[in-house]
Amino acid sequence: MEEKERDLERIEQYLNDQLSAEERTAVEHRLSEDKDFLALKEDFVALKEGIEQAGRNALRHTMDSWEKDLGNPLEEPKGEQRSLGSSLIMRWAAVFLVGVVSVVAWYFGANQSHKRLYNNYFEVYANVVLPNTRSNETLTKEEQAFLAYDNEDYERAVQLFNQILEAEQKEYVLFYSAQAHMVLNEHAEAIEHLQDVLRRQGLLVSQARWYLALCYLHTKETEKAKEQLKVLAEGDSSYSERANELLQEM
Protein backbone atom coordinates (compact mmCIF):
# COMPACT_ATOMS: atom_id res chain seq x y z
CA MET A 1 0.00 0.00 0.00
CA GLU A 2 1.34 3.44 -0.91
CA GLU A 3 2.26 5.80 1.92
CA LYS A 4 -0.36 8.38 0.88
CA GLU A 5 -3.08 5.72 0.81
CA ARG A 6 -2.11 4.60 4.31
CA ASP A 7 -2.19 8.20 5.49
CA LEU A 8 -5.64 8.74 3.98
CA GLU A 9 -6.96 5.60 5.62
CA ARG A 10 -5.53 6.61 8.99
CA ILE A 11 -7.08 10.09 8.62
CA GLU A 12 -10.46 8.56 7.83
CA GLN A 13 -10.16 6.30 10.89
CA TYR A 14 -9.25 9.34 12.99
CA LEU A 15 -12.23 11.37 11.76
CA ASN A 16 -14.59 8.43 12.30
CA ASP A 17 -13.25 7.85 15.84
CA GLN A 18 -12.03 4.34 15.03
CA LEU A 19 -8.57 4.60 16.64
CA SER A 20 -7.32 3.66 20.06
CA ALA A 21 -6.35 6.47 22.42
CA GLU A 22 -2.69 5.87 21.68
CA GLU A 23 -3.23 5.85 17.91
CA ARG A 24 -5.36 8.99 18.13
CA THR A 25 -2.64 10.79 20.10
CA ALA A 26 -0.08 9.77 17.50
CA VAL A 27 -2.24 11.13 14.66
CA GLU A 28 -2.84 14.41 16.51
CA HIS A 29 0.88 14.77 17.17
CA ARG A 30 1.62 14.23 13.50
CA LEU A 31 -1.07 16.73 12.48
CA SER A 32 0.65 19.33 14.65
CA GLU A 33 4.13 18.56 13.28
CA ASP A 34 3.62 17.48 9.65
CA LYS A 35 2.21 20.21 7.41
CA ASP A 36 1.72 17.83 4.47
CA PHE A 37 -0.22 15.39 6.65
CA LEU A 38 -2.38 18.24 7.96
CA ALA A 39 -3.03 19.46 4.41
CA LEU A 40 -4.01 15.93 3.39
CA LYS A 41 -6.49 15.78 6.28
CA GLU A 42 -8.00 19.16 5.35
CA ASP A 43 -8.31 18.10 1.69
CA PHE A 44 -10.03 14.89 2.72
CA VAL A 45 -12.52 16.71 4.95
CA ALA A 46 -13.23 19.29 2.24
CA LEU A 47 -13.76 16.61 -0.39
CA LYS A 48 -16.11 14.55 1.76
CA GLU A 49 -18.13 17.57 2.87
CA GLY A 50 -18.19 18.91 -0.69
CA ILE A 51 -19.56 15.69 -2.13
CA GLU A 52 -22.23 15.41 0.54
CA GLN A 53 -23.27 19.07 0.34
CA ALA A 54 -23.26 19.10 -3.45
CA GLY A 55 -25.52 16.09 -3.48
CA ARG A 56 -27.95 17.67 -1.02
CA ASN A 57 -28.01 21.03 -2.80
CA ALA A 58 -28.43 19.54 -6.24
CA LEU A 59 -31.19 17.22 -5.09
CA ARG A 60 -33.06 20.06 -3.36
CA HIS A 61 -32.71 22.33 -6.38
CA THR A 62 -33.94 19.66 -8.78
CA MET A 63 -36.87 18.71 -6.60
CA ASP A 64 -37.88 22.38 -6.30
CA SER A 65 -37.71 22.76 -10.06
CA TRP A 66 -39.68 19.58 -10.55
CA GLU A 67 -42.40 20.76 -8.17
CA LYS A 68 -42.59 24.13 -9.90
CA ASP A 69 -42.77 22.50 -13.32
CA LEU A 70 -45.39 19.91 -12.42
CA GLY A 71 -47.42 22.03 -9.99
CA ASN A 72 -49.95 20.52 -7.63
CA PRO A 73 -51.27 17.31 -9.21
CA LEU A 74 -54.67 17.90 -7.50
CA GLU A 75 -55.22 21.22 -9.29
CA GLU A 76 -56.43 21.63 -12.85
CA PRO A 77 -53.67 22.94 -15.13
CA LYS A 78 -54.02 26.61 -16.03
CA GLY A 79 -53.15 28.17 -19.33
CA GLU A 80 -51.23 26.28 -21.95
CA GLN A 81 -50.59 22.67 -21.04
CA ARG A 82 -46.99 21.89 -20.22
CA SER A 83 -44.96 19.82 -22.57
CA LEU A 84 -45.06 16.13 -21.76
CA GLY A 85 -41.41 15.87 -22.79
CA SER A 86 -40.40 18.60 -20.33
CA SER A 87 -42.17 16.88 -17.44
CA LEU A 88 -40.55 13.57 -18.28
CA ILE A 89 -37.12 15.19 -18.46
CA MET A 90 -37.60 16.67 -15.02
CA ARG A 91 -38.75 13.34 -13.67
CA TRP A 92 -35.73 11.55 -15.07
CA ALA A 93 -33.41 14.30 -13.83
CA ALA A 94 -34.73 13.86 -10.30
CA VAL A 95 -34.43 10.08 -10.50
CA PHE A 96 -30.88 10.40 -11.82
CA LEU A 97 -29.86 12.78 -9.05
CA VAL A 98 -31.37 10.56 -6.37
CA GLY A 99 -29.27 7.77 -7.85
CA VAL A 100 -26.10 9.86 -7.67
CA VAL A 101 -26.72 10.75 -4.03
CA SER A 102 -27.48 7.10 -3.29
CA VAL A 103 -24.21 5.99 -4.86
CA VAL A 104 -22.26 8.52 -2.78
CA ALA A 105 -24.06 7.37 0.36
CA TRP A 106 -23.44 3.75 -0.58
CA TYR A 107 -19.72 4.42 -1.10
CA PHE A 108 -19.22 5.90 2.34
CA GLY A 109 -21.57 3.35 3.90
CA ALA A 110 -19.78 0.42 2.28
CA ASN A 111 -16.43 1.67 3.56
CA GLN A 112 -17.83 1.93 7.07
CA SER A 113 -19.37 -1.53 6.80
CA HIS A 114 -16.03 -3.14 5.88
CA LYS A 115 -14.25 -1.35 8.70
CA ARG A 116 -16.96 -2.11 11.22
CA LEU A 117 -16.84 -5.83 10.45
CA TYR A 118 -13.07 -5.88 10.47
CA ASN A 119 -12.89 -4.11 13.83
CA ASN A 120 -15.54 -6.42 15.27
CA TYR A 121 -13.72 -9.60 14.26
CA PHE A 122 -10.03 -8.74 14.33
CA GLU A 123 -8.22 -9.70 17.50
CA VAL A 124 -4.46 -10.04 17.50
CA TYR A 125 -3.37 -13.66 17.93
CA ALA A 126 -1.79 -14.43 21.28
CA ASN A 127 1.86 -15.42 21.46
CA VAL A 128 1.87 -19.16 22.12
CA VAL A 129 5.41 -19.74 20.83
CA LEU A 130 7.54 -17.99 23.45
CA PRO A 131 5.01 -16.50 25.87
CA ASN A 132 7.12 -16.33 29.03
CA THR A 133 10.16 -14.38 27.87
CA ARG A 134 11.64 -11.96 30.42
CA SER A 135 13.41 -8.77 29.43
CA ASN A 136 16.20 -9.21 31.99
CA GLU A 137 17.46 -12.39 30.35
CA THR A 138 20.02 -12.81 27.58
CA LEU A 139 17.67 -13.24 24.69
CA THR A 140 17.89 -14.81 21.27
CA LYS A 141 16.61 -12.91 18.24
CA GLU A 142 13.32 -14.81 18.35
CA GLU A 143 12.88 -14.17 22.04
CA GLN A 144 13.48 -10.46 21.48
CA ALA A 145 10.91 -10.45 18.67
CA PHE A 146 8.22 -12.17 20.71
CA LEU A 147 8.96 -10.03 23.76
CA ALA A 148 8.36 -6.92 21.61
CA TYR A 149 5.19 -8.57 20.31
CA ASP A 150 3.93 -9.26 23.83
CA ASN A 151 4.74 -5.68 24.83
CA GLU A 152 2.71 -4.43 21.83
CA ASP A 153 5.82 -2.85 20.32
CA TYR A 154 4.78 -4.08 16.90
CA GLU A 155 7.18 -1.95 14.88
CA ARG A 156 10.11 -3.44 16.78
CA ALA A 157 8.58 -6.91 16.42
CA VAL A 158 8.31 -6.51 12.65
CA GLN A 159 11.95 -5.41 12.41
CA LEU A 160 13.11 -8.45 14.36
CA PHE A 161 10.79 -10.87 12.57
CA ASN A 162 12.13 -9.60 9.24
CA GLN A 163 15.70 -10.23 10.37
CA ILE A 164 14.77 -13.79 11.30
CA LEU A 165 12.98 -14.34 7.98
CA GLU A 166 16.04 -13.20 6.06
CA ALA A 167 17.88 -16.19 7.49
CA GLU A 168 15.02 -18.73 7.51
CA GLN A 169 11.40 -18.59 6.38
CA LYS A 170 9.79 -20.12 9.45
CA GLU A 171 6.05 -20.67 9.31
CA TYR A 172 5.23 -19.29 12.75
CA VAL A 173 7.48 -16.25 12.25
CA LEU A 174 5.66 -15.46 9.00
CA PHE A 175 2.34 -15.78 10.81
CA TYR A 176 3.23 -13.55 13.76
CA SER A 177 4.92 -11.03 11.50
CA ALA A 178 1.62 -10.84 9.59
CA GLN A 179 -0.17 -10.18 12.88
CA ALA A 180 2.13 -7.27 13.67
CA HIS A 181 1.69 -5.86 10.17
CA MET A 182 -2.10 -5.99 10.56
CA VAL A 183 -1.94 -4.04 13.81
CA LEU A 184 0.26 -1.47 12.05
CA ASN A 185 -2.30 -1.20 9.24
CA GLU A 186 0.13 -2.75 6.75
CA HIS A 187 -2.24 -5.27 5.24
CA ALA A 188 -0.44 -5.76 1.93
CA GLU A 189 2.59 -7.10 3.80
CA ALA A 190 0.35 -9.21 6.05
CA ILE A 191 -1.39 -10.74 3.02
CA GLU A 192 1.94 -11.72 1.51
CA HIS A 193 3.06 -13.49 4.68
CA LEU A 194 -0.28 -15.23 5.24
CA GLN A 195 -0.39 -16.48 1.67
CA ASP A 196 3.07 -17.96 2.23
CA VAL A 197 1.82 -19.72 5.38
CA LEU A 198 -1.11 -21.20 3.44
CA ARG A 199 1.18 -22.52 0.72
CA ARG A 200 3.16 -24.43 3.34
CA GLN A 201 0.07 -26.35 4.54
CA GLY A 202 1.52 -26.61 8.03
CA LEU A 203 0.03 -26.25 11.51
CA LEU A 204 -1.25 -22.70 11.08
CA VAL A 205 -3.38 -23.10 7.96
CA SER A 206 -6.74 -22.35 9.59
CA GLN A 207 -5.38 -19.39 11.52
CA ALA A 208 -3.69 -17.99 8.42
CA ARG A 209 -6.87 -18.41 6.36
CA TRP A 210 -8.97 -16.56 8.95
CA TYR A 211 -6.60 -13.61 9.16
CA LEU A 212 -6.15 -13.56 5.40
CA ALA A 213 -9.93 -13.25 5.05
CA LEU A 214 -9.86 -10.31 7.48
CA CYS A 215 -7.06 -8.67 5.50
CA TYR A 216 -9.11 -8.98 2.31
CA LEU A 217 -12.09 -7.54 4.16
CA HIS A 218 -10.00 -4.56 5.23
CA THR A 219 -8.72 -3.98 1.69
CA LYS A 220 -12.32 -4.28 0.39
CA GLU A 221 -11.55 -7.38 -1.70
CA THR A 222 -14.89 -8.86 -0.69
CA GLU A 223 -14.96 -11.86 -3.00
CA LYS A 224 -11.49 -12.97 -1.92
CA ALA A 225 -12.54 -12.63 1.71
CA LYS A 226 -15.66 -14.72 1.10
CA GLU A 227 -13.64 -17.38 -0.68
CA GLN A 228 -11.42 -17.89 2.37
CA LEU A 229 -14.34 -17.74 4.80
CA LYS A 230 -16.32 -20.37 2.86
CA VAL A 231 -13.42 -22.81 3.13
CA LEU A 232 -13.32 -22.26 6.89
CA ALA A 233 -17.11 -22.44 7.28
CA GLU A 234 -17.23 -25.78 5.49
CA GLY A 235 -14.40 -27.22 7.58
CA ASP A 236 -14.22 -28.35 11.19
CA SER A 237 -11.68 -25.92 12.61
CA SER A 238 -12.25 -23.60 15.57
CA TYR A 239 -12.86 -20.81 13.06
CA SER A 240 -15.80 -22.49 11.29
CA GLU A 241 -18.52 -20.88 13.38
CA ARG A 242 -16.99 -17.40 13.27
CA ALA A 243 -16.42 -17.68 9.53
CA ASN A 244 -20.07 -18.57 8.99
CA GLU A 245 -21.20 -15.66 11.18
CA LEU A 246 -19.02 -13.20 9.28
CA LEU A 247 -20.28 -14.50 5.95
CA GLN A 248 -23.84 -13.89 7.12
CA GLU A 249 -22.98 -10.26 7.96
CA MET A 250 -21.22 -9.47 4.69
PDB file of all heavy atoms in Angstrom, residues 114-126:
ATOM      1  N   HIS A 114     -17.241  -2.320   5.883  1.00  0.00           N
ATOM      2  CA  HIS A 114     -16.033  -3.139   5.878  1.00  0.00           C
ATOM      3  C   HIS A 114     -15.231  -2.919   7.153  1.00  0.00           C
ATOM      4  O   HIS A 114     -14.765  -3.872   7.783  1.00  0.00           O
ATOM      5  CB  HIS A 114     -15.175  -2.795   4.657  1.00  0.00           C
ATOM      6  CG  HIS A 114     -15.647  -3.424   3.390  1.00  0.00           C
ATOM      7  ND1 HIS A 114     -16.665  -2.906   2.637  1.00  0.00           N
ATOM      8  CD2 HIS A 114     -15.233  -4.550   2.740  1.00  0.00           C
ATOM      9  CE1 HIS A 114     -16.860  -3.666   1.582  1.00  0.00           C
ATOM     10  NE2 HIS A 114     -16.005  -4.675   1.618  1.00  0.00           N
ATOM     11  N   LYS A 115     -15.060  -1.664   7.522  1.00  0.00           N
ATOM     12  CA  LYS A 115     -14.246  -1.351   8.697  1.00  0.00           C
ATOM     13  C   LYS A 115     -14.916  -1.820   9.977  1.00  0.00           C
ATOM     14  O   LYS A 115     -14.257  -2.294  10.905  1.00  0.00           O
ATOM     15  CB  LYS A 115     -13.971   0.150   8.746  1.00  0.00           C
ATOM     16  CG  LYS A 115     -13.046   0.607   7.635  1.00  0.00           C
ATOM     17  CD  LYS A 115     -12.765   2.087   7.722  1.00  0.00           C
ATOM     18  CE  LYS A 115     -11.816   2.513   6.612  1.00  0.00           C
ATOM     19  NZ  LYS A 115     -11.516   3.960   6.664  1.00  0.00           N
ATOM     20  N   ARG A 116     -16.236  -1.674  10.029  1.00  0.00           N
ATOM     21  CA  ARG A 116     -16.957  -2.111  11.224  1.00  0.00           C
ATOM     22  C   ARG A 116     -16.791  -3.615  11.418  1.00  0.00           C
ATOM     23  O   ARG A 116     -16.494  -4.087  12.531  1.00  0.00           O
ATOM     24  CB  ARG A 116     -18.441  -1.749  11.108  1.00  0.00           C
ATOM     25  CG  ARG A 116     -19.278  -2.258  12.280  1.00  0.00           C
ATOM     26  CD  ARG A 116     -20.736  -1.910  12.079  1.00  0.00           C
ATOM     27  NE  ARG A 116     -21.276  -2.451  10.851  1.00  0.00           N
ATOM     28  CZ  ARG A 116     -21.671  -3.715  10.695  1.00  0.00           C
ATOM     29  NH1 ARG A 116     -21.557  -4.572  11.707  1.00  0.00           N
ATOM     30  NH2 ARG A 116     -22.161  -4.133   9.544  1.00  0.00           N
ATOM     31  N   LEU A 117     -16.973  -4.376  10.356  1.00  0.00           N
ATOM     32  CA  LEU A 117     -16.842  -5.826  10.452  1.00  0.00           C
ATOM     33  C   LEU A 117     -15.417  -6.225  10.812  1.00  0.00           C
ATOM     34  O   LEU A 117     -15.186  -7.108  11.648  1.00  0.00           O
ATOM     35  CB  LEU A 117     -17.254  -6.480   9.131  1.00  0.00           C
ATOM     36  CG  LEU A 117     -18.746  -6.449   8.801  1.00  0.00           C
ATOM     37  CD1 LEU A 117     -18.988  -7.022   7.413  1.00  0.00           C
ATOM     38  CD2 LEU A 117     -19.546  -7.226   9.840  1.00  0.00           C
ATOM     39  N   TYR A 118     -14.466  -5.568  10.173  1.00  0.00           N
ATOM     40  CA  TYR A 118     -13.069  -5.877  10.469  1.00  0.00           C
ATOM     41  C   TYR A 118     -12.759  -5.614  11.941  1.00  0.00           C
ATOM     42  O   TYR A 118     -12.160  -6.456  12.622  1.00  0.00           O
ATOM     43  CB  TYR A 118     -12.152  -5.035   9.577  1.00  0.00           C
ATOM     44  CG  TYR A 118     -10.683  -5.234   9.845  1.00  0.00           C
ATOM     45  CD1 TYR A 118      -9.976  -6.263   9.228  1.00  0.00           C
ATOM     46  CD2 TYR A 118      -9.993  -4.396  10.725  1.00  0.00           C
ATOM     47  CE1 TYR A 118      -8.618  -6.453   9.483  1.00  0.00           C
ATOM     48  CE2 TYR A 118      -8.649  -4.583  10.990  1.00  0.00           C
ATOM     49  CZ  TYR A 118      -7.968  -5.609  10.361  1.00  0.00           C
ATOM     50  OH  TYR A 118      -6.630  -5.802  10.623  1.00  0.00           O
ATOM     51  N   ASN A 119     -13.157  -4.459  12.425  1.00  0.00           N
ATOM     52  CA  ASN A 119     -12.887  -4.112  13.826  1.00  0.00           C
ATOM     53  C   ASN A 119     -13.602  -5.044  14.793  1.00  0.00           C
ATOM     54  O   ASN A 119     -13.097  -5.335  15.882  1.00  0.00           O
ATOM     55  CB  ASN A 119     -13.298  -2.661  14.099  1.00  0.00           C
ATOM     56  CG  ASN A 119     -12.401  -1.667  13.395  1.00  0.00           C
ATOM     57  OD1 ASN A 119     -11.249  -1.962  13.098  1.00  0.00           O
ATOM     58  ND2 ASN A 119     -12.931  -0.492  13.103  1.00  0.00           N
ATOM     59  N   ASN A 120     -14.782  -5.517  14.400  1.00  0.00           N
ATOM     60  CA  ASN A 120     -15.539  -6.423  15.265  1.00  0.00           C
ATOM     61  C   ASN A 120     -14.879  -7.796  15.378  1.00  0.00           C
ATOM     62  O   ASN A 120     -14.962  -8.443  16.429  1.00  0.00           O
ATOM     63  CB  ASN A 120     -16.966  -6.593  14.746  1.00  0.00           C
ATOM     64  CG  ASN A 120     -17.831  -5.380  15.017  1.00  0.00           C
ATOM     65  OD1 ASN A 120     -17.461  -4.505  15.805  1.00  0.00           O
ATOM     66  ND2 ASN A 120     -18.982  -5.307  14.369  1.00  0.00           N
ATOM     67  N   TYR A 121     -14.221  -8.236  14.293  1.00  0.00           N
ATOM     68  CA  TYR A 121     -13.722  -9.604  14.263  1.00  0.00           C
ATOM     69  C   TYR A 121     -12.204  -9.721  14.439  1.00  0.00           C
ATOM     70  O   TYR A 121     -11.715 -10.796  14.773  1.00  0.00           O
ATOM     71  CB  TYR A 121     -14.125 -10.287  12.951  1.00  0.00           C
ATOM     72  CG  TYR A 121     -15.558 -10.750  12.948  1.00  0.00           C
ATOM     73  CD1 TYR A 121     -16.590  -9.933  12.507  1.00  0.00           C
ATOM     74  CD2 TYR A 121     -15.892 -12.026  13.403  1.00  0.00           C
ATOM     75  CE1 TYR A 121     -17.915 -10.360  12.507  1.00  0.00           C
ATOM     76  CE2 TYR A 121     -17.208 -12.467  13.419  1.00  0.00           C
ATOM     77  CZ  TYR A 121     -18.209 -11.635  12.967  1.00  0.00           C
ATOM     78  OH  TYR A 121     -19.523 -12.060  12.979  1.00  0.00           O
ATOM     79  N   PHE A 122     -11.488  -8.627  14.207  1.00  0.00           N
ATOM     80  CA  PHE A 122     -10.034  -8.738  14.334  1.00  0.00           C
ATOM     81  C   PHE A 122      -9.603  -8.685  15.798  1.00  0.00           C
ATOM     82  O   PHE A 122      -9.958  -7.782  16.541  1.00  0.00           O
ATOM     83  CB  PHE A 122      -9.315  -7.634  13.569  1.00  0.00           C
ATOM     84  CG  PHE A 122      -7.819  -7.653  13.812  1.00  0.00           C
ATOM     85  CD1 PHE A 122      -7.043  -8.693  13.340  1.00  0.00           C
ATOM     86  CD2 PHE A 122      -7.199  -6.642  14.538  1.00  0.00           C
ATOM     87  CE1 PHE A 122      -5.673  -8.740  13.575  1.00  0.00           C
ATOM     88  CE2 PHE A 122      -5.840  -6.668  14.781  1.00  0.00           C
ATOM     89  CZ  PHE A 122      -5.072  -7.720  14.295  1.00  0.00           C
ATOM     90  N   GLU A 123      -8.848  -9.659  16.179  1.00  0.00           N
ATOM     91  CA  GLU A 123      -8.220  -9.695  17.497  1.00  0.00           C
ATOM     92  C   GLU A 123      -6.841 -10.311  17.309  1.00  0.00           C
ATOM     93  O   GLU A 123      -6.707 -11.405  16.749  1.00  0.00           O
ATOM     94  CB  GLU A 123      -9.051 -10.544  18.463  1.00  0.00           C
ATOM     95  CG  GLU A 123      -8.497 -10.582  19.872  1.00  0.00           C
ATOM     96  CD  GLU A 123      -9.378 -11.373  20.822  1.00  0.00           C
ATOM     97  OE1 GLU A 123     -10.438 -11.869  20.378  1.00  0.00           O
ATOM     98  OE2 GLU A 123      -9.000 -11.506  21.991  1.00  0.00           O
ATOM     99  N   VAL A 124      -5.815  -9.579  17.728  1.00  0.00           N
ATOM    100  CA  VAL A 124      -4.455 -10.038  17.495  1.00  0.00           C
ATOM    101  C   VAL A 124      -4.236 -11.400  18.160  1.00  0.00           C
ATOM    102  O   VAL A 124      -4.690 -11.638  19.280  1.00  0.00           O
ATOM    103  CB  VAL A 124      -3.438  -8.987  17.994  1.00  0.00           C
ATOM    104  CG1 VAL A 124      -3.482  -8.846  19.508  1.00  0.00           C
ATOM    105  CG2 VAL A 124      -2.043  -9.334  17.518  1.00  0.00           C
ATOM    106  N   TYR A 125      -3.562 -12.283  17.459  1.00  0.00           N
ATOM    107  CA  TYR A 125      -3.365 -13.659  17.925  1.00  0.00           C
ATOM    108  C   TYR A 125      -2.328 -13.682  19.047  1.00  0.00           C
ATOM    109  O   TYR A 125      -1.258 -13.091  18.964  1.00  0.00           O
ATOM    110  CB  TYR A 125      -2.887 -14.528  16.761  1.00  0.00           C
ATOM    111  CG  TYR A 125      -3.067 -16.004  16.971  1.00  0.00           C
ATOM    112  CD1 TYR A 125      -4.287 -16.628  16.705  1.00  0.00           C
ATOM    113  CD2 TYR A 125      -2.019 -16.804  17.419  1.00  0.00           C
ATOM    114  CE1 TYR A 125      -4.463 -17.994  16.889  1.00  0.00           C
ATOM    115  CE2 TYR A 125      -2.173 -18.172  17.595  1.00  0.00           C
ATOM    116  CZ  TYR A 125      -3.402 -18.756  17.339  1.00  0.00           C
ATOM    117  OH  TYR A 125      -3.566 -20.114  17.516  1.00  0.00           O
ATOM    118  N   ALA A 126      -2.670 -14.383  20.108  1.00  0.00           N
ATOM    119  CA  ALA A 126      -1.788 -14.432  21.275  1.00  0.00           C
ATOM    120  C   ALA A 126      -0.493 -15.171  20.960  1.00  0.00           C
ATOM    121  O   ALA A 126      -0.463 -16.112  20.159  1.00  0.00           O
ATOM    122  CB  ALA A 126      -2.506 -15.111  22.440  1.00  0.00           C
TER     123      ALA A 126
END
